[in-house]
Amino acid sequence: MTRQAPAAPSRLDFATELTRWEYAAAPETAQVEIAARYGHFIGGEFVAPAGGGGHFASINPATEQPLCEVAQGSDADVDAAVRAARDALPAWAGLPGKERAKYLYRIARRIQERARELAVLETMDGGKPIRESRDVDIPLAAAHFFYHAGWADKLEFAFPGRRTDGTPVPPVQPVGVCGQIIPWNFPLLMAAWKLAPALACGNTCVLKPAETTPLTALRLAEICLEVGLPRGVVNVVTGDGRTGAAIVNHPGIDKIAFTGSTEVGKKIAAAAAGTDKRLTLELGGKSPNIIFEDASIDQAVEGIIEGIYFNQGHVCCAGSRLFVQESVLEEVVEKLRIRMASLRVGDPLDKNTDVGAINSKQQLATIRRYVEAGVAEGARLHEVNGRPLPDRGYWCRPSFFTGVQPSHVVAREEIFGPVLAVMSFRTPEEAITRANNTPYGLAAGVWTDKGSKIFEIARHLKAGVVWLNTYNKFDPASPFGGFKESGFGREGGLQGLRGYVRI
Ligand code: NAP
Ligand code: MG
């Protein structure tokens, strides 16, 4: 197959024109340039899609305005990307860890240097409040590269081994070419979660961002160019689920790392069964947030807000099932109502916005269906935030349900929106039983002032992460991942490296 390589490796080669977006809501103004059309990033350059995949628009969900066109990755594009990754593998894997580390440090530094631009781009493409992209997504993405840069030359300490005769085992080996498929809720951060550990361990990658939020992954590809990352070590192929499936099914892929819905995760697990592909799955959740009567209620209410309305509730570990001890239920609900009424819903580029736009029209329709189902099943809907919403764009007022039964659909299924199901319990045992009564097991929150209770409850919760008197806090040193239908494998920490080495 021949591929038309552009003269200079830049996204601009595919720009029919460049739009400069002025962003004036931050303390200072910032400018973000978006090309009219993007190609894939394969073998160290931006290339036009092969195989007739064509292009599709990525839109700003807060305005419904198309931002640019991105390429729909075909089987031929995925094949080219896998070949590029395979070609780059021996040299990259053979590089001393301390040399690989330098590239990861450089990527981390470049993310910091371009932080403002990346934050604006993330917010424009995905709808999340600029305060979150600026203070959470982008700094954490940089932190993931810094953290994993630190591991690159210490892998033999992370995975020490001896043969039975006492001689040391050979250097830690990478798995190979990794196919990495990510969702739209934390686009750059999920790209960092996938790429940083893979690269640290000497793997090469083919990354597919979600259809609705490809822009920061493409900018990260530019950063790979800027830091001189060897060609083919990171490849980015854009497209929809078909592109993801082409990656999963490609025989040249050694490992699949997927973050997304449980439904797609099951399909991927079925496709990988019977092959020698390694697989890690980070899937959905319906996480419990448990408030005991001895908790600091004001703090807990902040934690409830953080747990479910952060990123419009588009969070796999969102605290979407609230369990409140009966004696404080009324107080918690009242304080929640007051706090929710103060949330600012609207323009994601305004730094005072708390709740931004829903990521896509399709996701908005899904959330609405769940809200209707909750009402139809007899739960009581509280939509206390009556501020006017913008005319255009995809908006959903934050809300919560009371009078929820465990059998109600809003208590069982992941809504992935700013909708909370409030329930009560009497005893710690009941709280544990009800919290664990779900096919998921990604995260949980516990609020109490009693230290002994904290550890007792945490020990019994079947969740990959348990937050105590806080919620939705992340750190690259802390492994993240699920139990049950929330998937398997861990990302972050020493445990996260295991998915990327042959031990
Ligand atoms: P999704 O539909 O499963 O999509 C995830 C990714 O997979 C996207 O890039 C998607 O492409 C791609 N894809 C779709 N069908 C595919 C197929 N048959 N084979 C291979 N790839 C395919 O999930 P989503 O709606 O984007 O994200 C929301 C879900 O992700 C929620 O359930 C949430 O809980 C979960 N999530 C989990 C974590 C975690 O760490 N556990 C983190 C974030 C999100 P398109 O974008 O084009 O559809
Ligand atoms: Mg978009």
PDB file of all heavy atoms in Angstrom, residues 58-61 67 124-126 212-214, ligand 2:
ATOM      1  N   SER A  58     -16.117  17.240  14.100  1.00  0.00           N
ATOM      2  CA  SER A  58     -16.149  17.241  15.555  1.00  0.00           C
ATOM      3  C   SER A  58     -16.771  18.571  15.941  1.00  0.00           C
ATOM      4  O   SER A  58     -16.345  19.620  15.476  1.00  0.00           O
ATOM      5  CB  SER A  58     -14.749  17.107  16.154  1.00  0.00           C
ATOM      6  OG  SER A  58     -14.874  16.870  17.547  1.00  0.00           O
ATOM      7  N   ILE A  59     -17.797  18.503  16.767  1.00  0.00           N
ATOM      8  CA  ILE A  59     -18.515  19.744  17.050  1.00  0.00           C
ATOM      9  C   ILE A  59     -18.321  20.180  18.495  1.00  0.00           C
ATOM     10  O   ILE A  59     -17.912  19.403  19.344  1.00  0.00           O
ATOM     11  CB  ILE A  59     -20.019  19.611  16.737  1.00  0.00           C
ATOM     12  CG1 ILE A  59     -20.679  18.658  17.729  1.00  0.00           C
ATOM     13  CG2 ILE A  59     -20.286  19.171  15.322  1.00  0.00           C
ATOM     14  CD1 ILE A  59     -22.142  18.951  17.854  1.00  0.00           C
ATOM     15  N   ASN A  60     -18.612  21.436  18.744  1.00  0.00           N
ATOM     16  CA  ASN A  60     -18.604  21.983  20.098  1.00  0.00           C
ATOM     17  C   ASN A  60     -20.013  21.758  20.666  1.00  0.00           C
ATOM     18  O   ASN A  60     -20.978  22.360  20.183  1.00  0.00           O
ATOM     19  CB  ASN A  60     -18.263  23.472  20.019  1.00  0.00           C
ATOM     20  CG  ASN A  60     -18.249  24.124  21.386  1.00  0.00           C
ATOM     21  OD1 ASN A  60     -18.812  23.612  22.348  1.00  0.00           O
ATOM     22  ND2 ASN A  60     -17.607  25.288  21.468  1.00  0.00           N
ATOM     23  N   PRO A  61     -20.165  20.925  21.680  1.00  0.00           N
ATOM     24  CA  PRO A  61     -21.513  20.599  22.163  1.00  0.00           C
ATOM     25  C   PRO A  61     -22.191  21.766  22.875  1.00  0.00           C
ATOM     26  O   PRO A  61     -23.398  21.725  23.101  1.00  0.00           O
ATOM     27  CB  PRO A  61     -21.267  19.436  23.134  1.00  0.00           C
ATOM     28  CG  PRO A  61     -19.853  19.570  23.560  1.00  0.00           C
ATOM     29  CD  PRO A  61     -19.120  20.191  22.409  1.00  0.00           C
ATOM     30  N   LEU A  67     -16.294  22.246  14.690  1.00  0.00           N
ATOM     31  CA  LEU A  67     -14.970  22.829  14.942  1.00  0.00           C
ATOM     32  C   LEU A  67     -14.012  22.513  13.803  1.00  0.00           C
ATOM     33  O   LEU A  67     -13.173  23.314  13.455  1.00  0.00           O
ATOM     34  CB  LEU A  67     -14.399  22.282  16.256  1.00  0.00           C
ATOM     35  CG  LEU A  67     -15.139  22.699  17.524  1.00  0.00           C
ATOM     36  CD1 LEU A  67     -14.605  21.928  18.730  1.00  0.00           C
ATOM     37  CD2 LEU A  67     -14.997  24.193  17.753  1.00  0.00           C
ATOM     38  N   MET A 124     -13.736  23.114  24.439  1.00  0.00           N
ATOM     39  CA  MET A 124     -14.493  23.386  23.210  1.00  0.00           C
ATOM     40  C   MET A 124     -14.976  22.093  22.558  1.00  0.00           C
ATOM     41  O   MET A 124     -16.088  22.011  22.051  1.00  0.00           O
ATOM     42  CB  MET A 124     -13.617  24.152  22.211  1.00  0.00           C
ATOM     43  CG  MET A 124     -13.372  25.584  22.618  1.00  0.00           C
ATOM     44  SD  MET A 124     -12.264  26.424  21.484  1.00  0.00           S
ATOM     45  CE  MET A 124     -13.327  26.698  20.101  1.00  0.00           C
ATOM     46  N   ASP A 125     -14.144  21.085  22.587  1.00  0.00           N
ATOM     47  CA  ASP A 125     -14.487  19.854  21.862  1.00  0.00           C
ATOM     48  C   ASP A 125     -15.457  18.980  22.666  1.00  0.00           C
ATOM     49  O   ASP A 125     -16.264  18.249  22.093  1.00  0.00           O
ATOM     50  CB  ASP A 125     -13.201  19.065  21.560  1.00  0.00           C
ATOM     51  CG  ASP A 125     -13.371  18.098  20.403  1.00  0.00           C
ATOM     52  OD1 ASP A 125     -14.344  18.244  19.646  1.00  0.00           O
ATOM     53  OD2 ASP A 125     -12.528  17.198  20.248  1.00  0.00           O
ATOM     54  N   GLY A 126     -15.368  19.060  23.995  1.00  0.00           N
ATOM     55  CA  GLY A 126     -16.139  18.110  24.801  1.00  0.00           C
ATOM     56  C   GLY A 126     -17.209  18.707  25.694  1.00  0.00           C
ATOM     57  O   GLY A 126     -18.048  17.977  26.209  1.00  0.00           O
ATOM     58  N   THR A 212     -16.342  11.899  19.418  1.00  0.00           N
ATOM     59  CA  THR A 212     -16.793  13.268  19.692  1.00  0.00           C
ATOM     60  C   THR A 212     -15.683  14.155  20.258  1.00  0.00           C
ATOM     61  O   THR A 212     -15.862  15.358  20.346  1.00  0.00           O
ATOM     62  CB  THR A 212     -17.990  13.295  20.671  1.00  0.00           C
ATOM     63  OG1 THR A 212     -17.613  12.639  21.882  1.00  0.00           O
ATOM     64  CG2 THR A 212     -19.207  12.629  20.081  1.00  0.00           C
ATOM     65  N   THR A 213     -14.561  13.570  20.666  1.00  0.00           N
ATOM     66  CA  THR A 213     -13.514  14.375  21.313  1.00  0.00           C
ATOM     67  C   THR A 213     -12.099  14.006  20.844  1.00  0.00           C
ATOM     68  O   THR A 213     -11.258  13.629  21.650  1.00  0.00           O
ATOM     69  CB  THR A 213     -13.565  14.193  22.843  1.00  0.00           C
ATOM     70  OG1 THR A 213     -13.504  12.781  23.121  1.00  0.00           O
ATOM     71  CG2 THR A 213     -14.799  14.789  23.477  1.00  0.00           C
ATOM     72  N   PRO A 214     -11.838  14.126  19.539  1.00  0.00           N
ATOM     73  CA  PRO A 214     -10.517  13.688  19.071  1.00  0.00           C
ATOM     74  C   PRO A 214      -9.418  14.759  19.161  1.00  0.00           C
ATOM     75  O   PRO A 214      -8.249  14.449  18.942  1.00  0.00           O
ATOM     76  CB  PRO A 214     -10.794  13.351  17.595  1.00  0.00           C
ATOM     77  CG  PRO A 214     -11.902  14.273  17.211  1.00  0.00           C
ATOM     78  CD  PRO A 214     -12.736  14.507  18.440  1.00  0.00           C
TER      79      PRO A 214
HETATM   80 MG    MG B   2     -16.584  17.415  19.903  1.00  0.00          MG
END
